Structure formats: C-alpha cells, structure tokens
Amino acid sequence: STVRVDNRAKNGRSTRTFISENLWQSVYNDLKEGDYVFIQFGHNDESKQKVDRYTTPAEYKNNLAKFINETRSKKAIPVLLTPVSRRYFDSAGKVKETHIIYSKLVAEVAAQMNVPLIDLDMQSRKLYQQLGPECSKLLFLQLQPDEHPNYPEGKNDNTHFSELGARKIAQIVLAGIRSLKLDLANHIRLPQPKK
C-alpha cells in the first residue's frame, strides 16, 4: 500500500520509438524525487527485420544514457534490466542466449554510469533451463487451437509470457531488488492469507 506501480511499457517499442512517440517524455514529466524507474529494452531494438523499431548498438547505449541522465535530473533512481530471454533450446536441451549483443550493452552502460543492474536475461535463462524444454512452455503463450478464447487457432510464442510466466519473471525482478539492497526492497511484502 506504500508503493504505486505505474507501468509505462508499450508493446513493440524500442528505445528509439519510445522516445520518438513521446512515451519517454510522459515518464520524465511525471517523475518525482525518490521514484524508481525500471528500464528494460532490447527485444525490439535489436530486430533488424523491423526497420521501424531497429536501434543500432550505439544509439541504444545513447538512449539508455538519456533515460538514466534524465531520471537522475529529477532525483529519481534508474535501474537497468537486461532484456528477458526468449525461450530457445538447442537439440541437446540446453537453453541458448537470444540477446547476446544487447544484454552486454546494458551491462556496459550500467557499469559506466554506476546504475543498479538486474540481469534478467541470465536469470530467465536459468529458469528455463531448470524447467527444461517441455515444462518451460508453460511460461509462454504456447496454446493449442481452441485452448484460449483470444487465440482460437492456437499460438506458438516463445517471447510473450503466460500469466504464470509473467509472475515467475516478476519474482526474478523482486529477487533482484532485494539482492541490490535497493531501499524499495523494504516495501516488498509476502501476500497475506485471506481471512
């Protein structure tokens, strides 16, 4: 009850389009001292097939730096996250990296600018590996025809999460907040049983 989460993420946006569509400006305008800004991009920035979204590595780093500097100018606290991994296993059942370049760029910016970093890429891959090629499907929109009313023809998606997957990834982020010893960690509470 002491923390308000204001999710400004928008599907399909890269750092470049988040800026060009004035989505970042609205975040910046509303920032107040002590706010935390969790910054996680990469999926769309690295997609060369989608030229409307693609952001070069140099532009990507500059855009992250802009978000960080402008967050700090309002005395708010930036936190960087590497892009969450897609679900991809090799033929031997070993999970593969899917954001090799852009995750490293986030880590470089975090180190250069002394920003807390949650390595969501690595941590999500660990989760998929623990579950294995079959059980990890439960985390994603892996649906048979007529299994879900929103996807009557089914879906085979290894990028977007099911509700279970979203909750598991959120738990990784909460663990990251704790391990970084951010003041925000003092507000994490276990759900109380219903009476």
Side-chain angles (χ1 to χ4, degrees), residues 43-111:
H43 278 82
N44 296 300
D45 293 270
E46 70 186 0
S47 183
K48 289 183 179 176
Q49 306 90 320
K50 297 183 178 171
V51 293
D52 58 321
R53 301 175 185 177
Y54 177 67
T55 311
T56 67
E59 290 172 319
Y60 181 65
K61 286 179 78 172
N62 287 339
N63 292 341
L64 293 176
K66 172 185 172 66
F67 298 153
I68 292 162
N69 287 327
E70 292 185 3
T71 296
R72 286 175 167 165
S73 77
K74 292 280 194 100
K75 295 185 170 44
I77 303 149
V79 179
L80 286 175
L81 296 88
T82 56
V84 66
S85 182
R86 292 180 175 93
R87 182 186 159 277
Y88 178 56
F89 287 85
D90 65 17
S91 58
K94 184 173 180 348
V95 73
K96 305 275 287 181
E97 281 190 71
T98 59
H99 301 296
I100 296 168
I101 295 171
Y102 282 70
S103 284
K104 284 189 175 81
L105 295 173
V106 177
E108 286 173 16
V109 171

Side-chain angles (χ1 to χ4, degrees), residues 1-183:
S1 64
T2 59
V3 173
R4 183 171 68 91
V5 176
D6 183 1
N7 184 356
R8 300 288 181 97
K10 188 128 185 194
N11 187 39
R13 299 318 186 267
S14 63
T15 55
R16 184 171 58 78
T17 57
F18 203 76
I19 293 168
S20 69
E21 294 176 16
N22 289 319
L23 297 167
W24 170 251
Q25 189 63 46
S26 73
V27 171
Y28 174 76
N29 291 344
D30 292 342
L31 281 179
K32 294 177 182 49
E33 183 175 348
D35 285 350
Y36 283 83
V37 181
F38 288 80
I39 303 164
Q40 192 248 330
F41 288 90
H43 278 82
N44 296 300
D45 293 270
E46 70 186 0
S47 183
K48 289 183 179 176
Q49 306 90 320
K50 297 183 178 171
V51 293
D52 58 321
R53 301 175 185 177
Y54 177 67
T55 311
T56 67
E59 290 172 319
Y60 181 65
K61 286 179 78 172
N62 287 339
N63 292 341
L64 293 176
K66 172 185 172 66
F67 298 153
I68 292 162
N69 287 327
E70 292 185 3
T71 296
R72 286 175 167 165
S73 77
K74 292 280 194 100
K75 295 185 170 44
I77 303 149
V79 179
L80 286 175
L81 296 88
T82 56
V84 66
S85 182
R86 292 180 175 93
R87 182 186 159 277
Y88 178 56
F89 287 85
D90 65 17
S91 58
K94 184 173 180 348
V95 73
K96 305 275 287 181
E97 281 190 71
T98 59
H99 301 296
I100 296 168
I101 295 171
Y102 282 70
S103 284
K104 284 189 175 81
L105 295 173
V106 177
E108 286 173 16
V109 171
Q112 289 163 358
M113 299 186 74
N114 195 29
V115 177
L117 173 70
I118 297 173
D119 193 346
L120 199 51
D121 185 4
M122 181 187 66
Q123 294 298 331
S124 57
R125 281 186 283 117
K126 277 186 183 177
L127 173 64
Y128 309 158
Q129 192 65 64
Q130 286 170 350
L131 293 173
E134 279 307 307
C135 287
S136 62
K137 289 179 181 178
L138 297 171
L139 303 177
F140 291 86
L141 293 179
Q142 295 273 334
L143 303 165
Q144 297 300 315
D146 297 319
E147 185 178 344
H148 194 285
N150 290 352
Y151 305 98
E153 295 174 21
K155 192 129 176 102
N156 184 16
D157 184 336
N158 290 303
T159 299
H160 299 97
F161 294 105
S162 64
E163 183 178 345
L164 173 65
R167 288 179 181 277
K168 289 292 191 187
I169 296 302
Q171 288 173 350
I172 291 172
V173 174
L174 286 173
I177 291 168
R178 280 194 171 117
S179 69
L180 288 169
K181 296 180 173 53
L182 301 178
D183 285 342

